[in-house]
Amino acid sequence: MKLYTNQASPFARKCRVVAHELSLKLDEIEVLARDDEALRRFNPLKKIPILILDDGSALFDSAVIAEYLNHIGGGKFFPGMNIWRGTNGRWKALGLQALADGLMEAAVACRYELLNAEAQRNEDFIARYMTTVTAALDTLERVKFTEVPTIGEIASGCALGYLDFRYDHLGWRNGRPRLAAWFETFSQFPSMLATKPA
Ligand SMILES: N[C@@H](CCC(=O)N[C@@H](CS)C(=O)NCC(=O)O)C(=O)O
């Protein structure tokens, strides 16, 4: 299996963490999706991650790829209904993933805006993205993370790792001691250390 990816992408990192946890081998192809129109032959949306299966078919987006990897690797990152962690486990995990993915979307979109030349930057967009990042962080501070991680914990860890990588100056830990303490432990998982952006 081939994964179109980028070291810096928090969405791709989610999939790489799941693969690492389940000892699944991925042939990783590093691309710069923002400038790579050729990616549209696999994903018309031109976004990574994209997983190419052995029969040549392509899977996207990160939530679909992560669930596929979880399925073939026999993982437990996507709780089933009524099967484990009670009825609510699945919705809690998927809801947390949606929140963390939304944080990543705002942070990545803001980064793209900041990469524009100053004259083309839209300060209003930047302010809106950062309001979303702050609101998502404040919600994460109140989340009760599970000790055995689900895709929700993995997505949250990748979102916070992205903030450390691209928004170090933001100081997201300030005023969020529970989230900071949780991430301190979670970021030391071997799968998180192995996928940390350089
Ligand atoms: N919803 C998508 C978002 C993926 C995404 O935004 N990826 C970024 C890199 S972090 C990308 O490929 N951007 C290229 C572009 O928007 O042109 C997912 O979960 O996979």
Side-chain angles (χ1 to χ4, degrees), residues 23-119:
S23 303
L24 293 170
K25 170 103 187 63
L26 295 178
D27 181 7
E28 295 189 5
I29 302 164
E30 194 79 5
V31 289
L32 271 178
R34 209 164 158 250
D35 305 323
D36 196 343
E37 284 295 326
L39 286 174
R40 290 198 203 274
R41 69 190 188 281
F42 302 123
N43 177 357
L45 308 176
K46 192 177 75 67
K47 288 180 191 279
I48 53 160
I50 306 167
L51 184 72
I52 310 293
L53 304 182
D54 292 342
D55 68 359
S57 58
L59 276 190
F60 59 88
D61 59 7
S62 63
V64 176
I65 297 172
E67 187 156 3
Y68 175 80
L69 294 174
N70 180 73
H71 176 70
I72 62 168
K76 289 189 170 177
F77 300 113
F78 288 79
M81 285 172 280
N82 294 321
I83 297 172
W84 83 302
R85 292 187 183 160
T87 338
N88 292 329
R90 178 169 178 82
W91 312 121
K92 192 178 166 226
L94 293 184
L96 184 53
Q97 174 179 225
L99 174 66
D101 281 5
L103 193 166
M104 292 178 203
E105 262 160 36
V108 168
C110 190
R111 160 97 184 148
Y112 289 167
E113 200 59 44
L114 289 166
L115 286 175
N116 284 334
E118 213 165 312

